[in-house]
Amino acid sequence: MKRFISTFLSVVLIFSLMMPAFSWVDANETKSQIPVIRISGDGEPLYDSEGNKIFHYRDVANLVSGNGADNSELLKSMAESLLPAIAKGMATNNWDDLYAGLETEISKLFANSLLDENGNVPNNSGLAQNRIDEMERKRHNSQKGDKGYFAWNDYWFRYDWRLDPMEIADDFNSYIKDIKKSTGCEKVGIMATCLGTNVVMAYVAKYGVEDIQGIAMDGSVVGGAEILSEVVCAKFDVDPAALMRVLCDVEALGLFSLDEFITETIDMLVQTGLLEGVISTTENIFYDKLVKGVTSALALSTFYTWPNYWACVSPEDYESAKYYVFGEEGSEKRIKYAGLIEKLDNYDKEVRKKIPELIQKIKDGGANFGVISKYGFQIIPICANSDAVSDQFASVKRSSFGATTSSVYETLSDEYIAQRVAEGKGRYISPDKLIDASTCICPDTTWFIKGSSHSNWNSYELKILYDVSTADRQLTVDDFPYSQFMVYNTEADTLAPMTEENCNTENWDADPDVYRPESFFDKLRVAIKSFVRWLGLLLELIAESI
């Protein structure tokens, strides 16, 4: 029950965070003598064979939240199906009807976008035809301008982002070959973001980098993304304080705004421990009984018939995720979804287990390689590691391929920093003392930008990606006017080197004395202060209504 309620509570937030925001670069300032291919994530809407839109995150978010859509029938159907099943489960301890009801009702949101048991498209759905036509025109015609260079956005590889990255890699390879032929260039550059990084790494595994000048990644999910990895393999927890931080983030990003009284009420429930008590009680009664069935039902009715989403499951979580979604070896679901599982296992074998080797393969092949890792935002609070330093989707540890970080509640210890300084690695410590870049696979070609969320690709990031992927040599953090650690200001659209003075960009306060007080008296003090603030707002509302 805890899992279902918390997941459903968070679904609007998840969909809201997945809506990408873009800031475009000026092609006159970003140019190269070779074409650069851009491959992104899951922002493209899906259409059926007749041209009707069947799925986009924004539509699902609106349907669930009721913004711009009539969701009364949806909620009525869910209530009619699930409430009797919950009552039966509580009375008999048999939750099979709830699992079946969940899978049926939730899948209505995704019905036309789900893949079949082999991970294939069952209904000829996919990208809009005009997107495909546009890509086909460009791949066979050189986009080199009159001034003799290629702009950053000349070639954008569009693809069905649900599919197996290993299969998409074949189309990607064909696209690269066609662009080389049409332009007469021997090499291309690649700019990859989000799910596109999975496809690029699959491409490297299958085809190497003979045709590639450089690969630059931003918001990589190749090493895993907690938002998709942990909640599907029972690394699941609800951190009430993290919920408050998520609400602050989405409000600051302009996704939606909450009434002050609602925000203060949630904060009061957090600070007084009431919300944690409700969650703990629910967990003790229902969690162990429901977790496997609910996980499988929610997974197979939403994202987890999509192989490219499975590619975001971390190496250490993969086997557990298969267990919670498909059951034990020989189970009915393992048999039914054998074709899908075969694809997932192949990606696991050829890519997930070989990430360091594949990065080395890129470098040994003579291609440039660069990474941008972003942070300063809260991972959705149903993840066990929701206190990780992250970009909302993935922790910095994963998106940077190995950086050492603190949690949002603390900085790296003085002892740790002193040791790194003594080793001559002090330059890799971020000014906010949250990150040590020296442990990255490529510490000198990895940039960190605080204040830029996972779904925002600002012009400065795109400039770095473009230059790294098209340069005639390997560029490092010393080759740019930016430092390795930078701060992005969303409102002003500015990028600045990070300093101790400008590094506190979070939209929330993660002071451990407030959110994790140790002693009884500290907890009591925090609870009383929060309750008084909430009571004051309540009295104001009452006074205004009289």
Side-chain angles (χ1 to χ4, degrees):
M1 179 63 65
K2 166 192 168 186
R3 187 178 188 84
F4 168 63
I5 293 174
S6 300
T7 304
F8 193 72
L9 174 66
S10 303
V11 70
V12 177
L13 298 181
I14 294 175
F15 289 140
S16 296
L17 298 179
M18 287 181 175
M19 298 175 190
F22 298 99
S23 180
W24 308 108
V25 290
D26 184 348
N28 294 318
E29 297 179 0
T30 305
K31 50 198 175 186
S32 169
Q33 295 304 307
I34 65 169
V36 64
I37 299 171
R38 186 171 180 192
I39 176 171
S40 57
D42 51 10
E44 290 281 345
L46 301 174
Y47 295 81
D48 64 21
S49 58
E50 297 180 355
N52 302 305
K53 186 165 62 172
I54 61 170
F55 180 85
H56 192 248
Y57 291 111
R58 190 182 306 277
D59 299 329
V60 176
N62 288 338
L63 183 63
V64 175
S65 66
N67 294 326
D70 181 7
N71 63 353
S72 58
E73 290 301 317
L74 168 69
L75 297 177
K76 180 180 178 182
S77 175
M78 291 187 70
E80 290 176 350
S81 174
L82 299 181
L83 291 178
I86 292 172
K88 178 181 177 181
M90 296 177 67
T92 66
N93 200 28
N94 183 335
W95 301 94
D96 290 344
D97 287 355
L98 176 61
Y99 306 150
L102 272 176
E103 194 161 338
T104 298
E105 297 302 325
I106 299 300
S107 65
K108 291 178 181 178
L109 298 172
F110 296 81
N112 294 318
S113 64
L114 298 178
L115 302 185
D116 65 20
E117 60 271 15
N118 296 309
N120 298 324
V121 178
N123 55 4
N124 295 318
S125 62
L127 301 185
Q129 188 60 46
N130 67 313
R131 287 294 208 190
I132 298 173
D133 293 342
E134 176 191 13
M135 191 174 73
E136 287 303 307
R137 286 194 300 271
K138 287 194 172 184
R139 74 192 293 170
H140 299 298
N141 295 280
S142 173
Q143 305 300 309
K144 198 169 187 177
D146 294 337
K147 296 183 179 180
Y149 60 81
F150 295 94
W152 72 274
N153 62 342
D154 286 335
Y155 298 100
W156 203 319
F157 179 70
R158 313 283 185 179
Y159 64 102
D160 189 332
W161 41 263
R162 298 170 294 178
L163 303 180
D164 179 8
M166 302 297 283
E167 295 177 357
I168 301 171
D170 296 333
D171 291 335
F172 191 55
N173 177 58
S174 175
Y175 187 71
I176 290 170
K177 296 291 188 184
D178 286 341
I179 290 175
K180 285 182 57 184
K181 182 179 179 180
S182 67
T183 61
C185 294
E186 296 183 358
K187 302 278 187 179
V188 302
I190 297 175
M191 297 165 55
T193 56
C194 195
L195 294 179
T197 62
N198 297 335
V199 176
V200 170
M201 206 61 87
Y203 165 83
V204 171
K206 296 186 77 170
Y207 297 101
V209 292
E210 180 181 359
D211 297 327
I212 308 304
Q213 180 77 15
I215 295 173
M217 296 183 173
D218 190 351
S220 169
V221 290
V222 173
E226 283 84 352
I227 196 172
L228 291 171
S229 183
E230 293 193 347
V231 297
V232 80
C233 67
K235 285 187 176 178
F236 175 79
D237 194 13
V238 176
D239 180 356
L243 175 59
M244 284 299 304
R245 294 194 292 269
V246 165
L247 294 176
C248 291
D249 278 342
V250 296
E251 185 166 20
L253 291 171
L255 297 175
F256 60 80
S257 180
L258 287 178
D259 180 83
E260 182 184 8
F261 180 72
I262 295 175
T263 304
E264 199 64 47
T265 299
I266 296 173
D267 189 60
M268 182 271 294
L269 293 173
V270 171
Q271 304 297 359
T272 58
L274 292 175
L275 186 55
E276 184 177 2
V278 171
I279 291 172
S280 178
T281 301
T282 305
E283 177 177 7
N284 292 335
I285 297 174
F286 296 115
Y287 185 70
D288 290 336
K289 299 176 183 178
L290 293 176
V291 62
K292 294 179 185 177
V294 169
T295 297
S296 182
L298 291 177
L300 293 175
S301 60
T302 54
F303 308 135
Y304 291 89
T305 61
W306 303 342
N308 204 3
Y309 267 51
W310 273 95
C312 301
V313 176
S314 66
E316 62 268 33
D317 290 344
Y318 178 61
E319 289 300 327
S320 293
K322 284 201 301 181
Y323 169 73
Y324 278 96
V325 175
F326 301 113
E328 300 176 348
E329 291 288 347
S331 69
E332 182 178 338
K333 285 185 176 179
R334 289 263 184 168
I335 296 171
K336 177 181 178 181
Y337 288 94
L340 172 59
I341 293 172
E342 182 179 2
K343 290 182 177 181
L344 305 182
D345 284 344
N346 182 51
Y347 179 88
D348 180 60
K349 175 185 175 183
E350 300 299 331
V351 179
R352 184 184 284 109
K353 284 186 168 67
K354 296 181 178 179
I355 292 173
E357 298 172 41
L358 293 175
I359 293 177
Q360 191 61 47
K361 184 177 181 179
I362 295 171
K363 297 165 68 176
D364 291 344
N368 305 329
F369 185 69
V371 175
I372 294 177
S373 177
K374 304 184 283 193
Y375 71 109
F377 294 87
Q378 172 66 50
I379 294 177
I380 209 75
I382 56 175
C383 300
N385 289 304
S386 63
D387 63 348
V389 176
S390 78
D391 65 2
Q392 292 179 304
F393 280 15
S395 65
V396 164
K397 176 183 178 181
R398 300 196 184 282
S399 64
S400 67
F401 298 103
T404 298
T405 72
S406 63
S407 74
V408 298
Y409 287 111
E410 57 194 358
T411 60
L412 297 170
S413 70
D414 292 340
E415 293 78 13
Y416 179 91
I417 294 174
Q419 179 183 346
R420 296 319 245 175
V421 170
E423 294 170 352
K425 297 180 179 179
R427 66 189 293 259
Y428 295 108
I429 303 296
S430 61
D432 59 7
K433 299 180 181 180
L434 297 178
I435 298 172
D436 173 12
S438 71
T439 57
C440 295
I441 293 179
C442 301
D444 293 314
T445 61
T446 302
W447 289 260
F448 300 84
I449 301 179
K450 190 172 187 180
S452 182
S453 66
H454 178 88
S455 298
N456 177 75
W457 323 105
N458 63 68
S459 59
Y460 305 98
E461 296 169 38
L462 295 174
K463 172 68 173 173
I464 294 173
L465 296 176
Y466 193 97
D467 288 347
V468 168
S469 64
T470 60
D472 57 6
R473 65 180 178 85
Q474 175 67 67
L475 301 181
T476 72
V477 295
D478 296 324
D479 289 307
F480 286 81
Y482 322 111
S483 65
Q484 181 163 37
F485 300 98
M486 296 164 282
V487 171
Y488 177 65
N489 184 311
T490 303
E491 293 184 1
D493 187 27
T494 57
L495 190 73
M498 184 184 295
T499 66
E500 292 184 5
E501 288 71 34
N502 71 1
C503 66
N504 297 318
T505 68
E506 290 88 351
N507 302 306
W508 27 261
D509 177 12
D511 185 350
D513 291 335
V514 175
Y515 286 99
R516 287 186 175 177
E518 295 182 0
S519 72
F520 169 79
F521 291 105
D522 285 337
K523 292 179 181 179
L524 183 61
R525 172 182 52 80
V526 168
I528 291 174
K529 288 179 64 176
S530 178
F531 181 78
V532 169
R533 289 197 305 271
W534 173 81
L535 184 60
L537 281 174
L538 176 62
L539 293 175
E540 287 181 12
L541 288 175
I542 294 174
E544 290 173 0
S545 64
I546 297 176

